[in-house]
Amino acid sequence: MTGLKRLLADRAAAIGAGLIAALVLVAILAPVLAPFPGDVSEFHLTERLLPPDATHLFGTDRMGSDLFSRILFGARITIAIAVIAVGVSVAIGVPIGLVAGYYGGWSGGLLMRASDIFLAVPQIVLAIAIAQTLGPSVENVILALSATYWPFWARLVYAETRAMKGQVFIEAAQALGASDFRVMVLHILPNIASAIIVRTSIGMGATILTAAALGFLGLGAPPPTPEWGRTISEAREFLPEAWWYAAAPGFAIFLVVMGFNLLGDGLRDILDPKIRRGAK
Amino acid sequence: MRRIEIILSRLLWLIPTLVGLVVVVFFIANVVPTDPARIIAGENATTEQVEALRAELGFDRPLWEQLGIYVRDLATGNMGRSLYTQRPIADDLAHRLPATLELTFAAIIIAIGLGIPLGVVSAVKRNSLTDQVLRVLSVSGLAIASFWLAMELQMLFSTRWGLTPLNGRISGFGPDEITGFFVLDSLLTWDMESLGGALLHLLLPAVTLALPAAATILRFTRAGVLEVINSNFVLYETAMGLPRGLIIWKYVLRNALISTVTQIGLIFGVLFSGAVVVEAVFDWPGLGTYAVQSILQSDNKAILGFTILVGVVFIVVNLIVDILHTFIDPRTLK
C-alpha cells in the first residue's frame, strides 16, 4: 500500500488529517464562509453578548461581533503562527543538528551545548520573556516561538545523524568520494526524514497551544485581532453567563491540536516501524 | 561509566549551562533599547533626575558591563528590585516558590495516581472498549489548552455549583507558616480547618494542571507494559502459576516504568512552567501570577529573575532524574 492509503486506513490518523484539512480550508475560505466577514473589526454594541442562534451560530462577543466569523478568521492567525514558527525552527534546527552530528568533535559539542542552554528553560517561559521584551504582536509571538523551538529539532537530528553515521552505506558513499554535503543531504537526511516529519506534526499542535497561551496572557496580537487565545481571555469576565464566548475558541483550539496529534501518531506508526503502537 | 562519574560530569556541566542561561536571558531582556530609568523616575521627573537615576542604577554603562554587574549580584542572590512590588525580586520569588511547588507536587501526584493504573488497564485490556475510551481520553487530554480547561472547570465547579473555592490558596489567614507549603504547615501545626481549606483550594488548579500530564503518563505506561507483557519471563511466571494480578502489577509494571520515570522528570518541568497560565486563572499566589503581573507592568528584571529561577529548578530536576535513572536502569551505566 502507498503511504497515503496506509495513513487513511488508520482511523485516528484519517480523522487527524481531516481536521487539519478542515482548518486549512476554513482559513483560506474565511471571507467566503463567514456570515459577517466585517466583524473582525466592526462593533455592534446593541448586539452585545447574544447567545448562539440561527443568525449568530456561536453567539456574539463583548463588542457585538459575530463569534463564528471571528473564529473562522482566527484560523488564519493560528495557521500562520504554527506554520512559520515551526518552519523557522526546522530550518534552523535541522542543519545545526545535521552538521553537529556529522562532524562531531568540539564544534559539534559546542553547538549542542548551545541548544542545551535553550532547553534548560521550559519553552513557554523563555517565549514569555522574549515576547514580553519585544512587545505584543503576532510577528513577535512567531519570533519568540521560533527562537525557543529550534533546539528541539537540533537535538533530534543530532541524535539521528549520529546513529546514521556509522552505517555501512554512509561509509560506502564516502569511499566513493561523495562530498560531505552530498552525504548529509542525499544520504543521511532522507533516512532521518520520517523522524523529523513525525516530530513536526506533533510540534505543530504543541506550538498552537503555546501560542494560544501567549495570546491568553496578553502577549499576542493586540485587539481586535480575532486570535483564539486572546478571545478566551476576553471572555473571562463574562463567565458564567456568556458561556458560549469562551467555549467556541476553546473547542477550536482543541480540535486543531487534536488533529495534529492524531496525524503525528498515525505518521509514527507508518514511518517508524521501531515504535509501532503496541503489538496488535 | 561509573555512577559517580556520570553525576560528577553532569554537575560540572551545570555551571556553564547556568552561566549560558543567564547570558542568553539577559540579552533577550535587553534586545529592545528601552529606558527603564525614565519609567522608574515617573513622568514628571526632570532630565537631570532621570540622568542621576540612570547613573545610580547603572543603565548608563555598556551592556556587557551591566551583565557583569548582574551576574556578580546574582551570585550573592541579588536580582534587583521589582518595579511592581518595590521589594527585592529574590525575596518575592522565594516567598512565592512554595505555592508553585505545592501546586506542582499536587498535580504530579494526581497525574501519577491516574496515569499509571489507567495505563496498565489500557494495556492489559488492549483493543477492548475500555482501552479505546482511555486512548481517546488521553489524546484529548493532550490537546486541551490548560487555561481554557481551568476557566471551564472554575465556571462549573465554583461559580455554578459552588463546590470549590473560586480562587486563591486559602480562605482566612491559613496555617502558621513554617515551610510555606500550606498542606504541610497545617499538618505540622495540626490545624485541620486550614488543611481542609488548603486541599479544597488546591483541587481544581491541581486537577487542571494534572490532566495533560496524566495523559502522557498513561500513554507511556501503556506502551511500556505492552512491550514487557509478551516477554519470556511473563510466560514463565504464568506457567509457574503465579496470579495474573501479581505478575502484572509487580513484575511487569516494574520493568515497564523505566521510561515512565524519565517522563515524570520531564513532566515536572512542564507542569512547573504550565503553572504560569493555570495560576493566572485561579489567582494562585505563586510564581506564575508574579510573572503575569510583571508582564503587565513591563517589569523586565522581575521576568529575568523568574526565568532564571525556573531554569535552575528545571536543570536541577533533570539532574535528579538522570541520577535516579542510573539506579532504576543500571544498563545506562555501561
Side-chain angles (χ1 to χ4, degrees):
Chain A
M1 267 197 289
T2 64
L4 189 66
K5 268 192 187 157
R6 276 170 63 191
L7 185 67
L8 295 179
D10 182 310
R11 199 168 7 130
I15 295 174
L19 284 170
I20 296 165
L23 171 79
V24 173
L25 217 61
V26 159
I28 295 172
L29 296 178
V32 186
L33 291 174
F36 303 95
D39 277 12
V40 171
S41 52
E42 281 169 24
F43 308 146
H44 313 280
L45 291 177
T46 49
E47 295 174 15
R48 290 182 78 218
L49 300 173
L50 293 177
D53 60 18
T55 330
H56 301 289
L57 285 176
F58 294 169
T60 63
D61 69 4
R62 58 177 183 167
M63 295 298 185
S65 311
D66 179 48
L67 269 171
F68 181 61
S69 307
R70 289 179 64 82
I71 298 287
L72 294 185
F73 277 94
R76 295 186 152 192
I77 303 171
T78 301
I79 284 201
I81 292 179
V83 169
I84 302 175
V86 174
V88 171
S89 307
V90 171
I92 299 174
V94 170
I96 288 185
L98 205 54
V99 169
Y102 186 76
Y103 292 108
W106 66 269
S107 54
L110 200 68
L111 278 173
M112 284 304 107
R113 289 283 94 77
S115 73
D116 276 354
I117 291 171
F118 280 86
L119 292 174
V121 190
Q123 195 210 354
I124 188 168
V125 173
L126 208 53
I128 285 175
I130 298 178
Q132 139 69 17
T133 324
L134 300 178
S137 78
V138 172
E139 292 79 12
N140 291 342
V141 166
I142 293 174
L143 201 70
L145 291 173
S146 326
T148 50
Y149 214 15
W150 67 266
F152 287 84
W153 271 274
R155 271 267 149 226
L156 173 77
V157 172
Y158 176 76
E160 296 277 331
T161 307
R162 292 285 297 230
M164 203 55 71
K165 219 188 134 187
Q167 300 278 329
V168 179
F169 74 96
I170 298 296
E171 243 174 77
Q174 286 165 335
L176 283 170
S179 67
D180 288 345
F181 181 77
R182 194 182 165 87
V183 173
M184 278 190 270
V185 174
L186 289 184
H187 296 276
I188 294 180
L189 200 55
N191 281 293
I192 62 174
S194 53
I196 299 175
I197 293 170
V198 170
R199 247 335 230 309
T200 304
S201 183
I202 293 169
M204 292 282 278
T207 302
I208 290 170
L209 281 181
T210 312
L214 291 179
F216 179 76
L217 294 176
L219 291 167
T225 320
E227 199 269 322
W228 294 344
R230 171 174 287 282
T231 309
I232 294 177
S233 90
E234 282 170 8
R236 253 192 102 180
E237 53 180 307
F238 303 106
L239 289 178
E241 288 75 22
W243 55 269
W244 60 88
Y245 197 163
F251 267 115
I253 295 172
F254 172 69
L255 289 177
V256 173
V257 176
M258 183 94 154
F260 281 111
N261 287 353
L262 288 174
L263 183 69
D265 279 357
L267 285 172
R268 183 194 317 245
D269 288 353
I270 293 164
L271 296 173
D272 196 346
K274 279 174 290 183
I275 356 175
R276 285 261 160 85
R277 243 186 311 189
K280 281 192 181 164
Chain B
M1 244 202 277
R2 288 176 37 223
R3 180 172 294 131
I4 189 82
E5 286 174 38
I6 292 186
I7 296 173
L8 277 179
S9 74
R10 293 300 310 251
L11 278 176
L12 231 71
W13 269 120
L14 201 67
I15 297 154
T17 310
L18 276 178
V19 173
L21 175 67
V22 173
V23 173
V24 167
V25 177
F26 183 85
F27 280 108
I28 285 172
N30 288 292
V31 223
V32 179
T34 49
D35 193 349
R38 178 155 289 282
I39 301 171
I40 298 167
E43 281 173 19
N44 298 324
T46 62
T47 319
E48 290 80 34
Q49 282 171 322
V50 175
E51 285 301 326
L53 192 65
R54 187 173 294 144
E56 189 194 320
L57 295 172
F59 289 132
D60 55 342
R61 297 166 198 233
L63 204 55
W64 59 267
E65 213 179 309
Q66 288 186 42
L67 172 66
I69 295 169
Y70 187 78
V71 172
R72 196 192 63 206
D73 285 352
L74 198 61
T76 59
N78 180 1
M79 291 178 157
R81 205 166 271 276
S82 158
L83 298 178
Y84 168 66
T85 58
Q86 297 297 332
R87 290 171 2 112
I89 292 167
D91 290 0
D92 278 348
L93 293 174
H95 185 67
R96 283 161 175 269
L97 183 62
T100 300
L101 283 179
E102 186 170 48
L103 179 58
T104 312
F105 281 130
I108 282 266
I109 292 168
I110 295 172
I112 294 173
L114 282 175
I116 291 182
L118 290 180
V120 172
V121 169
S122 190
V124 171
K125 304 192 168 191
R126 68 169 171 279
N127 296 334
S128 68
L129 185 65
T130 321
D131 180 32
Q132 301 286 1
V133 171
L134 283 174
R135 281 166 68 185
V136 170
L137 284 180
S138 69
V139 175
S140 314
L142 289 170
I144 293 182
S146 58
F147 56 90
W148 182 63
L149 182 66
M151 274 172 56
E152 297 291 329
L153 289 179
Q154 192 184 41
M155 177 177 92
L156 286 177
F157 287 89
S158 307
T159 323
R160 277 261 161 90
W161 300 329
L163 294 174
T164 51
L166 189 61
N167 53 31
R169 259 182 109 185
I170 197 93
S171 325
F173 290 109
D176 298 328
E177 279 202 41
I178 303 168
T179 57
F181 293 84
F182 281 3
V183 173
L184 200 60
D185 287 350
S186 28
L187 279 175
L188 289 175
T189 53
W190 208 249
D191 181 349
M192 282 305 125
E193 205 189 319
S194 294
L195 181 66
L199 286 176
L200 208 55
H201 278 83
L202 252 176
L203 190 63
L204 280 192
V207 166
T208 311
L209 202 54
L211 281 185
T216 310
I217 296 178
L218 191 158
R219 284 161 64 102
F220 272 86
T221 309
R222 181 180 185 276
V225 169
L226 280 181
E227 217 166 85
V228 178
I229 209 165
N230 291 322
S231 20
N232 287 332
F233 80 85
V234 177
L235 192 65
Y236 173 75
E237 284 167 354
T238 313
M240 293 292 287
L242 258 68
R244 183 86 175 147
L246 182 72
I247 298 176
I248 302 266
W249 293 98
K250 188 167 177 196
Y251 299 107
V252 171
L253 194 57
R254 184 187 289 171
N255 284 287
L257 282 186
I258 291 174
S259 63
T260 310
V261 171
T262 319
Q263 278 303 311
I264 290 171
L266 296 176
I267 285 170
F268 183 89
V270 174
L271 290 185
F272 192 68
S273 55
V276 174
V277 266
V278 174
E279 283 184 7
V281 175
F282 288 104
D283 282 329
W284 188 262
L287 295 174
T289 41
Y290 186 70
V292 172
Q293 278 156 356
S294 310
I295 291 170
L296 295 176
Q297 304 279 327
S298 295
D299 192 345
N300 279 358
K301 268 217 169 124
I303 294 176
L304 192 62
F306 163 75
T307 312
I308 291 169
L309 176 65
V310 174
V312 170
V313 172
F314 205 56
I315 291 172
V316 170
V317 169
N318 279 320
L319 183 70
I320 295 173
V321 170
D322 280 350
I323 295 171
L324 275 182
H325 206 136
T326 64
F327 285 97
I328 299 167
D329 187 2
R331 282 172 297 182
T332 50
L333 290 176
K334 275 182 197 153

